[in-house]
Amino acid sequence: SYLYLRYPAHTPRLSSIEPRNKVTVVLGAQWGDEGKGKVVDLLAMDADLVCRCQGGNNAGHTVVVDSVEYDFHLLPSGVLNKKAVSFIGNGVVIHLPGLFEEAEKNLQKGKGLEGWEERLKISDRAHIVFNFHQAVDGIQEQQRQLQAGKNLGTTKKGIGPAYSSKAARNGLRVCDLVSDFTVFEEKFRVLAEHFLTMYPNLNVDIDNELQQLKEYAERLRPLVTDGVYFMHKALTGPSKKILVEGANAALLDIDFGTYPFVTSSNCTVGGVCTGLGVPPSYVGRVYGVVKAYTTRVGVGAFPTEQDNEVGNLLQSRGREFGVTTDRQRRCGWLDLILVRYAHMVNGFTAIALTKLDILDTLSEIKVGVAYSVDDEPLPSFPANMDVLTRVSVKYETLPGWCCSTEDVRCFEELPPQAQSYIRFIEDFLQVPG
C-alpha cells in the first residue's frame, strides 16, 4: 500500500521552509583539550545565545579576557559576553555547589562575570549531580584499580554515576528541585539509599545535603526555564546568532569514542539535538577544533603517543596540563586517521587548527596517515580497544619551519612550510581550515 500526501494549492510545502536561525556548533575533534574555549570565545563575541548541551563540570575551558584568566567547567564560556544569554541544556548534568562555586571564583578574578545570573538560563529537564554521585565516582575508580589494575581516569566529578541514574530512571532533575520540595526530598532519600545499598562504605550526609539543596533551589528558581520552548523561540523567532559549545570531544563520546575510556555523554554533533531539543535541520555550521598535535589525559590507547623527547617538548611548550584535574597530558604527533573518523561522525564544515606555534622549534614534523595491525592495513578506525593498542602507525614526514609563528594573525603571513602543513591536513580530511 502507498501513502499519499496531498498539499492544497495554497499550502507551502514544508520542505521548502528554511529554518530561520541555525545553530553554529564548536566540537572537539580529538580527545579534548584542543582549545575549544578559545574558538568559542572568538565566536561568542557577537553571539546572541551560547549553549552547553552535554557533559558536566568534568569539562574545562580556559578563556583570557583583558589579561584575566577565567576557568569554566559548567558555565558556557560565552557568559563573559554581557550582551549574550547563556543556556545550559537538558543534556548537561549539573552539580549545583560546583556551579555556584565556579561563578564565585571567576567573580573574584575580574569583572567579566558580573551580572552572570541575569544572563544564564538552565533547562528544567537537566539532571542533577549530587555529592554522593561524586563519592561513588571515586569508589568505582578504586574498585576498577583493585579488580583490573586499571582505572578509567575519570575526573571524579560524579558525571558517570549521574548519567547512570538518568539511564536507570531514578535520577532527579532541576524541575524536581524547584517544584514541591517535600516530594523532592522523598525521591532524594530513595536515591541516596539506593547508592548506600550498593556501596555500604559510602559517606553520605543526607540531611546536610538536603538543607544545602533547599538553599540552592531558591537561587536556581529564577534561572530555570522550559528548555524546549526556550530553544524553539530562539530558533524560530527574530534573527539570532546561536552558538553551541561542545564539551569533551569526539573520541570521548560514549558511543563513538575509545570505549570504555570515554565520558558518559554524546559529545558529537548528535548530542546537540538531544541535549538542547534542537531539530537536526536547525544545525548549521559545525566547526571541528583540531590541535596541531595530539594529547590525551588519563589512560587508554594512544597510537601516535611520543613517550620521548618529542613528547616532552610538546608537553612543556604546550603547557599541557588539564584545566579540571591539573593532570599532565600525554602528547604525540597529529593523528589524521582519528580526526578523519571524527569528521565522518560530525560532518565538519570547517576545522579550526590550534596551537600550531608549539611546533615552531621542530625541524621535521610527523603526521599519522594510516593504521595497520600485524602488517595488515586497517580500513577504518577500530572500535575494539585491544586492536587500537596494537596498531602500527604509518607517518608522513613534513618539514618544520623553525621560526616563531606566535604573532602571525593571517594564513598568508605563515612560513611556507607551516602553510604546507595546514594544506596537507585540509587535503587529507577534505575539509577547509
Side-chain angles (χ1 to χ4, degrees):
S1 65
Y2 294 93
L3 173 67
Y4 292 98
L5 289 176
R6 192 167 173 277
Y7 295 94
H10 61 275
T11 306
R13 289 177 186 261
L14 291 177
S15 60
S16 67
I17 300 171
E18 268 294 299
R20 180 169 292 185
N21 298 322
K22 290 198 172 190
V23 299
T24 297
V25 184
V26 177
L27 299 171
Q30 293 152 301
W31 275 297
D33 312 309
E34 301 92 350
K36 294 181 292 293
K38 189 176 286 186
V39 177
V40 166
D41 192 48
L42 284 170
L43 296 171
M45 284 195 283
D46 64 345
D48 300 298
L49 175 60
V50 184
C51 312
R52 272 281 306 271
C53 62
Q54 46 69 226
N57 59 341
N58 57 334
H61 290 173
T62 303
V63 179
V64 180
V65 178
D66 298 330
S67 304
V68 179
E69 194 174 276
Y70 298 95
D71 289 333
F72 295 109
H73 303 279
L74 257 173
L75 289 168
S77 43
V79 77
L80 292 169
N81 177 357
K82 290 186 167 59
K83 293 176 185 168
V85 173
S86 288
F87 178 58
I88 296 176
N90 59 276
V92 180
V93 288
I94 303 170
H95 183 243
L96 293 170
L99 175 72
F100 290 109
E101 278 168 28
E102 180 183 323
E104 293 304 322
K105 278 182 186 173
N106 282 307
L107 273 169
Q108 288 165 17
K109 291 180 178 182
K111 294 182 177 180
L113 226 70
E114 283 179 358
W116 68 276
E117 284 171 289
E118 279 90 62
R119 302 194 296 277
L120 181 68
K121 291 290 171 193
I122 297 173
S123 170
D124 53 357
R125 289 174 172 83
H127 277 253
I128 303 171
V129 180
F130 298 114
N131 293 340
F132 56 72
H133 283 130
Q134 297 196 335
V136 165
D137 209 353
I139 292 169
Q140 287 177 344
E141 277 290 77
Q142 285 174 348
Q143 288 179 347
R144 279 188 283 260
Q145 187 66 46
L146 290 169
Q147 288 162 8
K150 68 169 72 162
N151 53 32
L152 293 180
T154 82
T155 57
K156 300 186 182 69
K157 298 289 183 183
I159 308 304
Y163 277 117
S164 295
S165 292
K166 178 178 179 175
R169 289 158 292 178
N170 59 9
L172 288 165
R173 302 189 293 177
V174 167
C175 58
D176 298 310
L177 179 60
V178 298
S179 298
D180 185 334
F181 194 79
T182 312
V183 177
F184 173 84
E185 181 178 338
E186 221 172 277
K187 291 177 180 176
F188 178 86
R189 289 185 185 277
V190 170
L191 183 59
E193 287 300 331
H194 165 77
F195 278 107
L196 278 165
T197 305
M198 290 169 66
Y199 304 96
N201 297 330
L202 190 63
N203 186 14
V204 184
D205 188 338
I206 294 176
D207 293 328
N208 186 48
E209 190 166 357
L210 276 166
Q211 184 54 45
Q212 195 184 36
L213 286 162
K214 197 169 190 176
E215 291 165 18
Y216 283 132
E218 295 313 307
R219 289 188 71 180
L220 201 62
R221 195 167 277 110
L223 314 181
V224 177
T225 189
D226 181 322
V228 173
Y229 183 66
F230 174 83
M231 285 306 300
H232 180 73
K233 271 206 310 184
L235 292 165
T236 58
S239 179
K240 264 189 175 65
K241 287 185 179 174
I242 304 171
L243 181 64
V244 181
E245 61 170 284
N248 318 114
L251 274 296
L252 295 173
D253 184 277
I254 186 74
D255 287 297
F256 300 108
T258 46
Y259 190 91
F261 304 104
V262 291
T263 191
S264 302
S265 61
N266 287 114
C267 23
T268 43
V269 72
V272 175
C273 299
T274 56
L276 291 171
V278 171
S281 57
Y282 285 85
V283 176
R285 288 169 294 181
V286 181
Y287 296 129
V289 185
V290 180
K291 196 181 279 186
Y293 49 101
T294 310
T295 61
R296 178 162 203 179
V297 172
V299 288
F302 184 169
T304 63
E305 182 172 15
Q306 298 298 300
D307 193 8
N308 52 27
E309 284 180 16
V310 171
N312 293 340
L313 179 133
L314 295 171
Q315 203 281 323
S316 59
R317 275 184 60 81
R319 297 189 184 93
E320 295 294 352
F321 292 93
V323 177
T324 302
T325 59
D326 205 33
R327 288 180 292 182
Q328 188 169 313
R329 296 176 189 141
R330 299 151 63 194
C331 299
W333 297 118
L334 178 62
D335 185 339
L336 286 182
I337 310 101
L338 183 149
V339 179
R340 181 176 60 194
Y341 169 73
H343 172 46
M344 288 175 186
V345 174
N346 290 298
F348 299 132
T349 48
I351 58 166
L353 192 70
T354 62
K355 300 188 91 164
L356 185 72
D357 57 310
I358 305 307
L359 307 179
D360 284 351
T361 60
L362 294 165
S363 57
E364 61 176 36
I365 300 161
K366 292 185 178 181
V367 180
V369 294
Y371 289 166
S372 62
V373 173
D374 301 329
D375 296 325
E376 287 291 317
L378 279 182
S380 59
F381 188 83
N384 189 310
M385 285 309 98
D386 296 329
V387 174
L388 192 64
T389 53
R390 290 169 47 226
V391 300
S392 299
V393 182
K394 180 189 173 189
Y395 289 101
E396 193 80 34
T397 303
L398 302 171
W401 41 94
C402 297
C403 63
S404 176
T405 58
E406 281 182 30
D407 298 321
V408 173
R409 292 295 174 266
C410 69
F411 181 79
E412 290 71 26
E413 289 176 12
L414 285 168
Q417 298 92 330
Q419 291 187 21
S420 298
Y421 184 71
I422 293 169
R423 286 206 179 96
F424 182 86
I425 296 166
E426 289 178 334
D427 291 343
F428 188 94
L429 299 174
Q430 291 296 291
V431 183

